[in-house]
Amino acid sequence: FIVMDHEYFEVAPFILLCMYAAKKFGPKIATSLDEKRQKSMDVFYHRPLNVQKQISANVTDYCNTQKEYYGSTKTYYQIARENVDLQLEAIYRLRLVEAHKAVAKRMNYQIDKDRAAKHYQQKHMLNWIVRSVISSVTPQLEKDTFK
């Protein structure tokens, strides 16, 4: 069954009006949207891409000139690499010493903590034993012991 309400008869004219508007104004709207999209593509994609290409070409040219300049002096690169390696090794050794000191500090802390805990436990146990012995001594036992 088809249910018809008061808006049912407005659907066909609305569809026809939409089709007419699409045929009449659709190409103009599509053209203007394509132009806007092309402008935004130029601004946000092509222009930065061209700038990046230019920068990349400039960097490549600079690198090539530097390569030609330093190409004859290969010992310079070797010395620079050795210098960097020595610096890295010095940094590594400093960090290794720092790590060793940090680990030793933590271990000493743990040892001191364990010693303090044992000392506290021994002191507590000794006090507990003394209190137990004192409380177990009765006046009669005390008289017998001192006679």
Side-chain angles (χ1 to χ4, degrees):
F1 295 104
I2 297 175
V3 177
M4 291 190 210
D5 59 354
H6 64 280
E7 295 175 355
Y8 180 76
F9 296 105
E10 295 173 1
V11 172
F14 178 73
I15 291 174
L16 290 175
L17 183 65
C18 287
M19 289 174 56
Y20 174 75
K23 287 202 182 248
K24 179 80 174 174
F25 303 112
K28 293 178 185 176
I29 293 172
T31 305
S32 67
L33 289 176
D34 285 342
E35 289 173 1
K36 286 183 182 180
R37 184 186 56 82
Q38 187 61 35
K39 285 180 185 177
S40 67
M41 284 291 287
D42 288 341
V43 170
F44 294 113
Y45 180 73
H46 295 296
R47 192 178 302 159
L49 188 63
N50 291 335
V51 169
Q52 284 297 92
K53 285 180 183 177
Q54 184 62 34
I55 290 172
S56 176
N58 291 343
V59 168
T60 304
D61 292 341
Y62 177 76
C63 288
N64 288 335
T65 57
Q66 292 297 316
K67 183 178 176 183
E68 291 171 4
Y69 178 71
Y70 291 114
S72 62
T73 58
K74 292 186 179 181
T75 56
Y76 172 78
Y77 289 122
Q78 184 179 3
I79 292 169
R81 282 190 202 114
E82 288 177 4
N83 190 16
V84 169
D85 288 341
L86 289 173
Q87 290 173 356
L88 290 174
E89 184 177 354
I91 291 170
Y92 169 75
R93 289 179 183 266
L94 285 174
R95 289 182 179 168
L96 192 63
V97 167
E98 289 174 5
H100 180 267
K101 286 180 182 178
V103 169
K105 187 177 176 182
R106 288 179 187 164
M107 290 177 70
N108 288 338
Y109 171 75
Q110 288 296 327
I111 290 170
D112 291 343
K113 191 173 95 171
D114 289 342
R115 283 182 185 162
K118 284 182 183 179
H119 182 280
Y120 176 76
Q121 289 171 353
Q122 287 174 352
K123 186 177 176 182
H124 181 67
M125 187 187 316
L126 181 67
N127 289 338
W128 179 70
I129 292 171
V130 168
R131 274 186 274 141
S132 298
V133 168
I134 289 174
S135 66
S136 67
V137 173
T138 61
Q140 183 61 34
L141 184 65
E142 190 175 341
K143 282 183 184 178
D144 292 342
T145 306
F146 287 126
K147 280 186 183 182

